[in-house]
């Protein structure tokens, strides 16, 4: 069965950096597009970044463009999110998800990892 | 504020039916598929409806989706207390080049 397991969250000071990982199994990772999505406390879901199957196409939300970098290692079945210049409003649970059925659909989600940005 | 518009909350009694609306524009719902997600308290979001009206394997037929123009609707029949959750619509936005979500609708089963 499809499994997505995020790791790397934690407490970081404003201006700091953090790297999230997402380990994928149960499907052909290298064939599928992936996204990172977050949910801040008391807020809704916010899509933040997308990467195509080979990494040739990447998109970011305006809120993170220039600060976050998405990448993937298909040999390791892993997705990454390098987060720099973190701000308090980046505090959220971060989820990775796989697009099985096209760009509009996030078919499976990981359990999420909590990132807290606070001094 | 969210690109797609949903009501913040809906409520109904057990056994009843509820609908949740999702409004967008030609860049998202109007020209791309709509998906719906259920997020139970303390858990990850789960896909309920894909491609406007298709239920993934394991999703009961109490859940249904429809789309017309730049709006979409999620229907839930035979409400159960276990359906209490946040529900989100989502779609690809061709102008923004990204997934856009509604603000979420909290369902309360009274």
């Amino acid at each position: 069965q499809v499994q997505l397991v995020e790791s790397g969250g934690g407490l970081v000071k404003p201006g700091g950096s953090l790297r999230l990982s997402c380990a994928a199994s149960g499907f052909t990772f290298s064939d599928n597009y992936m996204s990172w999505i977050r949910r801040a406390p008391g807020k809704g879901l916010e899509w933040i970044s997308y990467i195509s199957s080979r990494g040739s196409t990447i998109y970011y939300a305006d809120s993170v463009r220039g600060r976050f970098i998405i990448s993937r290692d298909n040999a390791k079945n892993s997705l990454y999110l390098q987060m720099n210049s973190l701000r308090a409003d980046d505090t959220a649970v971060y989820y990775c998800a796989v697009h099985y059925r096209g760009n509009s659909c996030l078919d499976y989600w990981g359990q999420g990892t909590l990132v807290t940005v606070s001094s | 504020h969210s690109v797609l518009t949903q009501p913040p909350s809906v409520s109904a009694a057990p056994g009843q039916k509820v609908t949740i609306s999702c409004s967008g524009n030609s860049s998202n719902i109007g020209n791309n598929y709509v998906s719906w997600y259920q997020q139970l308290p303390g858990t990850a979001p789960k896909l309920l409806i894909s491609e406007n009206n298709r239920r993934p394997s394991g999703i009961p037929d109490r859940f249904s989706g429809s789309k017309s123009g730049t709006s979409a609707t999620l229907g839930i029949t035979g409400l159960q207390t276990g359906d209490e959750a946040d529900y989100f619509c989502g779609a690809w936005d061709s102008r923004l080049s990204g997934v856009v979500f509604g603000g979420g609708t909290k369902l309360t089963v009274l």
Side-chain angles (χ1 to χ4, degrees):
Chain A
Q1 73 282 19
V2 172
Q3 266 205 311
L4 297 166
V5 180
E6 301 93 338
S7 60
L11 175 63
V12 61
K13 289 181 167 47
S17 296
L18 214 52
R19 189 194 196 207
L20 305 184
S21 298
C22 170
S25 60
F27 66 104
T28 307
F29 180 74
S30 58
D31 284 350
N32 288 279
Y33 296 2
M34 301 290 296
S35 275
W36 287 99
I37 306 97
R38 67 186 179 185
R39 188 171 187 187
K43 300 274 184 76
L45 296 175
E46 180 189 15
W47 169 85
I48 54 175
S49 188
Y50 163 107
I51 187 167
S52 61
S53 56
R54 297 187 178 186
S56 56
T57 299
I58 287 174
Y59 300 120
Y60 296 101
D62 287 346
S63 58
V64 305
R65 187 177 293 113
R67 300 188 298 124
F68 290 12
I69 300 171
I70 191 172
S71 63
R72 63 191 296 161
D73 185 336
N74 287 343
K76 294 184 177 179
N77 288 344
S78 292
L79 176 73
Y80 305 102
L81 187 68
Q82 177 66 41
M83 304 188 295
N84 302 321
S85 303
L86 282 161
R87 312 186 300 224
D89 63 358
D90 293 317
T91 294
V93 177
Y94 286 72
Y95 300 96
C96 64
V98 58
H99 294 265
Y100 252 27
R101 279 170 261 231
N103 288 347
S104 275
C105 192
L106 294 152
D107 295 72
Y108 296 97
W109 299 58
Q111 86 289 348
T113 187
L114 175 62
V115 172
T116 304
V117 184
S118 174
S119 54
Chain B
H1 84 118
S2 303
V3 174
L4 305 182
T5 301
Q6 297 179 235
S9 63
V10 295
S11 61
Q16 296 300 303
K17 172 182 177 177
V18 71
T19 60
I20 299 172
S21 61
C22 176
S23 177
N25 59 40
S26 59
S27 296
N28 40 67
I29 293 178
N31 284 286
N32 292 290
Y33 286 125
V34 176
S35 298
W36 289 91
Y37 305 91
Q38 176 194 59
Q39 189 167 26
L40 296 166
T43 69
K46 172 182 166 183
L47 178 66
L48 274 185
I49 299 289
S50 67
E51 297 163 283
N52 304 332
N53 55 21
R54 299 175 79 95
R55 282 189 316 275
S57 174
I59 301 300
D61 59 7
R62 300 189 298 108
F63 296 91
S64 63
S66 64
K67 178 181 126 173
S68 178
T70 59
S71 293
T73 302
L74 173 70
I76 311 173
T77 60
L79 279 171
Q80 303 172 1
T81 55
D83 295 332
E84 287 200 333
D86 293 327
Y87 291 84
F88 296 91
C89 57
W92 185 260
D93 192 298
S94 304
R95 183 179 66 84
L96 299 175
S97 293
V99 179
V100 291
F101 291 104
T105 300
K106 183 175 183 61
L107 169 64
T108 301
V109 181
L110 303 166

